[in-house]
Amino acid sequence: QMQLAESGGGWVQTGGSLRLSCAASEGTLRFYGMAWFRQAPGKEREFVAAVIGWSGARTYYSNSVKGRFTLSRDSAKNGVDLQMNSLRPEDTAVYYCAADRRSDVAGYYYTETPYSYWGQGTQVTVSS
């Protein structure tokens, strides 16, 4: 059964950087869309970033992370990496990787609904 595994979370001071990785347990199923969501204590899970498609892939970011976070595909591990710079205390959350093989994820990439595969999450803590 396909699984996603996140890594790279941890603790960092304000202004610091972290790099999150998401890898699939097998490489036979290619994902059309892959994304990161996050959930802070007491809040709902929210969209962070997504990459949709293959050649000519498009990358999307939430307004809160645009310009600070960079999402990229890693074909070797059938996953994605999220480079997070200029981190702020409000970035503190559990970060979840999500993925789906279907092309219709493109229309709703910013919602949880179209993603069939989810990781267990990795904690990111940014101290002030």
Side-chain angles (χ1 to χ4, degrees):
Q1 183 177 355
M2 173 72 79
Q3 294 182 332
L4 299 177
E6 303 100 335
S7 61
W11 177 90
V12 66
Q13 291 186 322
T14 297
S17 299
L18 285 173
R19 187 176 183 87
L20 304 184
S21 292
C22 173
S25 57
E26 55 182 85
T28 55
L29 297 179
R30 309 297 290 180
F31 298 117
Y32 189 81
M34 299 196 74
W36 287 93
F37 289 77
R38 67 185 182 186
Q39 187 168 21
K43 296 187 177 181
E44 294 185 352
R45 192 151 53 183
E46 65 175 5
F47 169 75
V48 175
V51 57
I52 305 297
W54 299 109
S55 58
R58 301 194 68 173
T59 307
Y60 303 92
Y61 300 94
S62 68
N63 287 336
S64 62
V65 307
K66 194 175 297 182
R68 300 187 297 124
F69 291 11
T70 302
L71 180 65
S72 58
R73 282 192 184 267
D74 186 335
S75 299
K77 63 186 181 189
N78 195 17
V80 289
D81 294 321
L82 183 68
Q83 178 65 42
M84 306 187 297
N85 298 328
S86 302
L87 284 162
R88 306 166 180 169
E90 53 264 40
D91 295 318
T92 295
V94 177
Y95 284 69
Y96 297 90
C97 179
D100 203 89
R101 296 181 292 127
R102 299 165 297 178
S103 60
D104 59 1
V105 72
Y108 303 94
Y109 62 86
Y110 50 91
T111 68
E112 301 180 40
T113 304
Y115 297 99
S116 301
Y117 302 94
W118 289 84
Q120 294 298 309
T122 184
Q123 177 70 46
V124 171
T125 303
V126 185
S127 66
S128 57

